[in-house]
Amino acid sequence: GGKMAARLSGGENRLVSLPLSRIRVIMKSSPEVSSINQDALFLTAKATELFVQYLATYSYKHGRGKEKNALTYSDLSHTAEECETFQFLADILPKKILASKYLKMLEKEKRDGEVGEDDEEDEEEEDEDET
């Protein structure tokens, strides 16, 4: 590691809140990665942390969370669905649907051979009333 790694080793935790050991494990899970430089590890952790903050802030500002003063899962999934920047997260943050509705979709898929959400707005979540 370079000077940055040496400088970080003591007060690392104050500068980045994600666990570096976990980040290292995730990075090493890529077959192209053989060794991980300490600076690269820190910068990846910091970039990830800033990205998560950006996602959370954007979702809070553009979601219904403001009304309840809370960030909800559906705020995050709505952001992943609607905002081009975050669309790559759509599989990771899918829109929640009721199990009964999912089973209906599976039945329809068996009949039609096609998955569709034609009436997706009617019962998005039990605890949220549509306005």
Side-chain angles (χ1 to χ4, degrees):
K3 287 178 186 159
M4 186 191 282
R7 201 170 61 239
L8 294 174
S9 56
E12 214 165 54
N13 297 336
R14 282 189 304 262
L15 293 166
V16 62
S17 56
L18 295 172
L20 295 184
S21 56
R22 280 296 177 90
I23 304 279
R24 180 185 278 111
V25 168
I26 295 167
M27 289 170 79
K28 277 196 178 269
S29 72
S30 174
E32 298 89 48
V33 175
S34 52
S35 67
I36 297 159
N37 173 300
Q38 201 54 30
D39 291 350
L41 176 64
F42 171 77
L43 291 172
T44 301
K46 193 65 190 171
T48 305
E49 190 179 306
L50 293 171
F51 173 78
V52 171
Q53 283 176 3
Y54 177 57
L55 170 64
T57 305
Y58 184 97
S59 300
Y60 180 78
K61 282 182 184 161
H62 294 85
R64 293 194 190 151
K66 285 196 303 294
E67 302 159 21
K68 302 173 189 167
N69 207 20
L71 177 64
T72 65
Y73 178 88
S74 79
D75 292 334
L76 293 167
S77 68
H78 186 261
T79 295
E81 193 179 26
E82 298 299 322
C83 176
E84 208 177 318
T85 307
F86 297 110
Q87 268 171 5
F88 75 99
L89 295 172
D91 293 344
I92 300 165
L93 292 166
K95 195 155 88 178
K96 274 192 194 169
I97 60 168
L98 299 173
S100 57
K101 189 173 172 189
Y102 179 69
L103 293 171
K104 274 186 226 159
M105 279 168 56
L106 287 180
E107 284 302 313
K108 190 178 189 307
E109 183 186 357
K110 276 184 202 156
R111 289 197 306 272
D112 310 350
E114 180 78 20
V115 177
E117 278 195 74
D118 38 30
D119 55 350
E120 59 185 58
E121 292 305 315
D122 58 20
E123 49 180 331
E124 194 178 322
E125 270 188 39
E126 306 102 303
D127 62 345
E128 288 186 7
D129 44 80
E130 296 291 322
T131 47

